[in-house]
């Protein structure tokens, strides 16, 4: 007690306002859980709710689609970049042939698989990619495929100790903390039937066969959480409120007013139309129906009055309220409001550039820190190993040692580039950067998802074809190397001109 009192005298107040314990912050008492304990307990609920929003909430669904379209687009191009040009050419050609066979389910090419990986990572927090070697007799260019497994295949609730090795959140670690195996179901636990109960037995899959694609937000975090977790509560509440408001307005719009009777006479009021005096018509459910034509005037009985309902004025400011809520939902997904709502009315050319620049920077961060190192590079290494093993490729660096031997795996990944916002201005900016020596054609086209080697080869092909056909190019520059007859008359002397 004396020690605590001494500490209080030495440090009478918290150094930070957020660390103070006054009445204003008395109910703010977050826990101090570790990176895995903080998520494992609620992970099932988080995934289920996230997927429900993706299925039913248009703003969350649009946010997931927008992010996936920007991170992957139509795919990521792979180009071998070793010092052996012949090997690069052969590896690139073989990769193009193999891409359509990578999916073990036979539903997508490799770029389609990348799309599903990113979509699952965003919606469910993680995805497992299992490597499956095939037999050379199966007829693939390279006997290699991959199987995409949703996170439920590896139960995060499974904790155990096997042979002195710890199994934490379904992942087995060796004595020095390396991943040794993933304990998995043989089939998706959400799709099981009673005739396949054996599939619910967990089996260890070697970690060397599994690539775990997720975003570790904290050091030591071994399972992923949905990327939209911060938007989920607001998205759910706002969707229900907006739907209730729409139904309320719809129901209220059916009523215009009421005829007020000073007294009630069942013989008259229940059988005669108060407007026309004719017998009341009833629908098939027995409900009285009164039809009024446009521009009609009517008279009431003595003592009766007509009470018209006030117009619905609750829509005043509703548009701005909706925008504010969607701003929060977009921020919780790291997706701009404009891309989940389709409303660009408050943006001009300059502000749109700022929004796109920040959005693209966030996308590129995940692309180059998660997708490419966790998926693309390992898949390329598997592809090269398998191709060399079956003789589809040769190793041009077999005797240079382990470090230099790694050159055989060198590859350049070119994600699809962003479309020009203002084509003429953007191209002129690239040209100025080239002339000033601030960039290179390889770098500029690489950022656009293009391979400068292919572009140069296509340009050379164009020149050769023009030369053979005697054509000239008219792109505001000097003519191409066209073969012309030196004895031919000048253009101004040609009768055809």
């Amino acid at each position: 007690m004396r020690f605590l009192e001494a500490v209080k005298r030495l440090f009478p107040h918290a150094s930070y306002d957020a660390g103070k314990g006054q009445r204003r912050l008395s109910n703010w008492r977050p826990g101090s859980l570790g990176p895995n304990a903080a998520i494992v307990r609620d992970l099932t609920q988080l995934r289920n709710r996230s997927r429900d929003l993706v299925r039913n909430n248009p703003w969350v669904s649009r946010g997931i689609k927008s992010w996936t379209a920007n991170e992957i687009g139509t795919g990521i191009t792979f180009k071998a970049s070793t010092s052996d040009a012949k090997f690069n050419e052969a590896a690139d050609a073989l990769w193009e042939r193999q891409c359509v066979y990578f999916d073990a389910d036979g539903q997508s090419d490799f770029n389609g698989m990348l799309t599903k990986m990113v979509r699952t990572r965003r919606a469910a927090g993680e995805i497992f990619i299992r490597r499956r070697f095939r037999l050379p007799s199966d007829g693939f260019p390279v006997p290699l495929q991959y199987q995409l497994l949703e996170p439920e295949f590896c139960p995060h609730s499974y904790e155990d100790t096997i042979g002195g090795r710890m199994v934490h959140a379904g992942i087995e670690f060796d004595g020095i903390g390396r991943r040794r195996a993933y304990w998995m179901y043989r089939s998706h636990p959400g799709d099981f039937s009673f005739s396949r109960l054996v599939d619910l037995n967990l089996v260890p899959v070697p970690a060397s066969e599994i690539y775990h694609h997720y975003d570790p937000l904290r050091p030591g975090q071994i399972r992923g959480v949905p990327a939209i977790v911060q938007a989920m509560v607001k998205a759910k509440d706002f969707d229900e409120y907006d739907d209730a408001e729409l139904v309320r307005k719809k129901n209220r719009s059916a009523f215009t007013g009421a005829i007020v009777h000073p007294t009630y006479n069942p013989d008259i009021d229940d059988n005669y139309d108060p407007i026309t005096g004719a017998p009341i018509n009833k629908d098939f459910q027995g409900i009285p129906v009164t039809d009024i034509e446009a521009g009609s005037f009517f008279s009431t009985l003595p003592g009766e009055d007509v009470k018209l309902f006030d117009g619905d004025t609750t829509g005043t400011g509703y548009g701005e309220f909706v925008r504010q809520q969607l701003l929060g939902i977009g921020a919780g997904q790291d997706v701009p409001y404009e891309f989940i709502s389709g409303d660009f009315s408050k943006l001009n050319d300059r502000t749109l550039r700022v929004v796109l620049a920040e959005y693209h920077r966030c996308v590129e961060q995940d692309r180059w820190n998660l997708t490419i190192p966790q998926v693309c590079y390992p898949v390329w290494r598997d592809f090269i190993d398998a191709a060399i093993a079956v003789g589809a490729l040769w190793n041009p660096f077999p005797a240079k040692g382990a470090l230099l031997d790694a050159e055989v795996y060198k590859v350049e990944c070119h994600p699809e580039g962003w479309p020009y916002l203002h084509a003429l201005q953007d191209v002129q900016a690239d040209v100025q950067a080239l002339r000033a020596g601030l960039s290179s054609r390889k770098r500029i086209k690489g950022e656009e998802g293009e391979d400068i080697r292919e572009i140069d080869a296509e340009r050379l092909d164009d020149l050769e074809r023009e030369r053979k056909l005697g054509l000239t190019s008219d792109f505001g520059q000097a003519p191409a190397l066209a073969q012309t007859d030196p004895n031919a008359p000048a253009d101004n002397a040609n009768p055809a001109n």
Side-chain angles (χ1 to χ4, degrees), residues 250-479:
K250 172 187 173 182
N251 292 335
R252 180 167 181 172
S253 66
F255 299 94
T256 303
I259 297 177
V260 180
H261 299 269
T263 59
Y264 174 71
N265 186 338
D267 294 334
I268 298 177
D269 296 335
D270 292 347
N271 297 296
Y272 295 93
D273 192 314
I275 297 177
T276 63
I280 289 180
N281 296 321
K282 297 183 179 181
D283 62 14
F284 66 95
Q285 294 180 332
I287 299 176
V289 178
T290 299
D291 295 327
I292 304 176
E293 295 182 359
S296 297
F297 285 85
F298 57 89
S299 60
T300 60
L301 296 175
E304 292 182 337
D305 188 17
V306 176
K307 182 179 180 180
L308 299 178
F309 297 148
D310 294 334
D312 191 348
T313 60
T314 58
T316 304
Y318 187 68
E320 187 60 30
F321 169 77
V322 169
R323 183 176 186 276
Q324 192 64 34
Q325 303 311 307
L326 294 184
L327 280 169
I329 295 173
Q333 304 179 74
D334 293 322
V335 178
Y337 155 81
E338 289 77 14
F339 295 107
I340 66 171
S341 67
D343 177 19
F344 291 83
S345 60
K346 295 184 180 297
L347 290 182
N348 56 37
D349 183 69
R350 291 187 177 182
T351 55
L352 178 58
R353 286 181 180 273
V354 174
V355 170
L356 285 174
E358 178 67 15
Y359 183 37
H360 289 167
R361 186 178 295 274
C362 293
V363 170
E364 284 186 329
Q365 185 179 47
D366 279 10
R367 176 191 285 170
W368 288 100
N369 292 347
L370 300 177
T371 304
I372 290 178
Q374 290 181 355
V375 179
C376 296
Y377 290 156
V379 167
W380 178 263
R381 289 194 296 268
D382 290 344
F383 164 75
I384 295 296
D385 284 340
I388 292 176
V390 299
L393 287 176
W394 67 98
N395 187 351
F397 317 102
K400 293 185 178 181
L403 294 179
L404 293 179
D405 189 39
E407 186 178 0
V408 75
Y409 301 118
K410 284 187 176 180
V411 64
E412 293 180 357
C413 293
H414 300 289
E416 186 180 21
W418 316 117
Y420 288 128
L421 184 59
H422 192 298
L424 180 59
Q425 292 179 1
D426 292 343
V427 171
Q428 288 176 341
D430 290 341
V431 172
Q432 292 299 324
L434 287 172
R435 290 177 177 174
L438 301 178
S439 187
S440 66
R441 294 171 57 246
K442 179 180 179 180
R443 180 181 295 274
I444 290 175
K445 300 312 294 182
E447 292 174 350
E448 296 174 3
E450 303 285 351
D451 184 2
I452 193 63
R453 293 173 294 182
E454 291 186 356
I455 294 175
D456 288 344
E458 292 172 359
R459 291 180 63 201
L460 180 60
D461 183 63
D462 285 344
L463 290 174
E464 292 177 349
R465 185 168 55 254
E466 291 169 1
R467 186 187 305 116
K468 291 179 180 179
L469 298 177
L471 302 175
T472 59
S473 58
D474 183 16
F475 305 123
Q477 298 181 4

Side-chain angles (χ1 to χ4, degrees), residues 192-205:
F192 82 95
S193 61
F194 289 104
S195 62
R196 300 175 60 191
L197 290 179
V198 67
D199 290 346
L200 295 183
N201 295 326
L202 291 172
V203 295
V205 181

Side-chain angles (χ1 to χ4, degrees), residues 91-129:
D92 292 344
L94 186 62
W95 174 265
E96 290 295 328
R97 292 170 53 203
Q98 176 66 21
C99 268
V100 297
Y101 299 106
F102 271 125
D103 188 2
D105 295 329
Q107 301 299 313
S108 308
D109 62 6
F110 184 69
N111 291 321
M113 295 177 70
L114 285 174
T115 298
K116 284 184 278 190
M117 292 177 202
V118 172
R119 182 178 179 85
T120 305
R121 187 196 80 215
R122 298 285 296 178
E126 57 188 348
I127 187 171
F128 298 99
I129 304 103

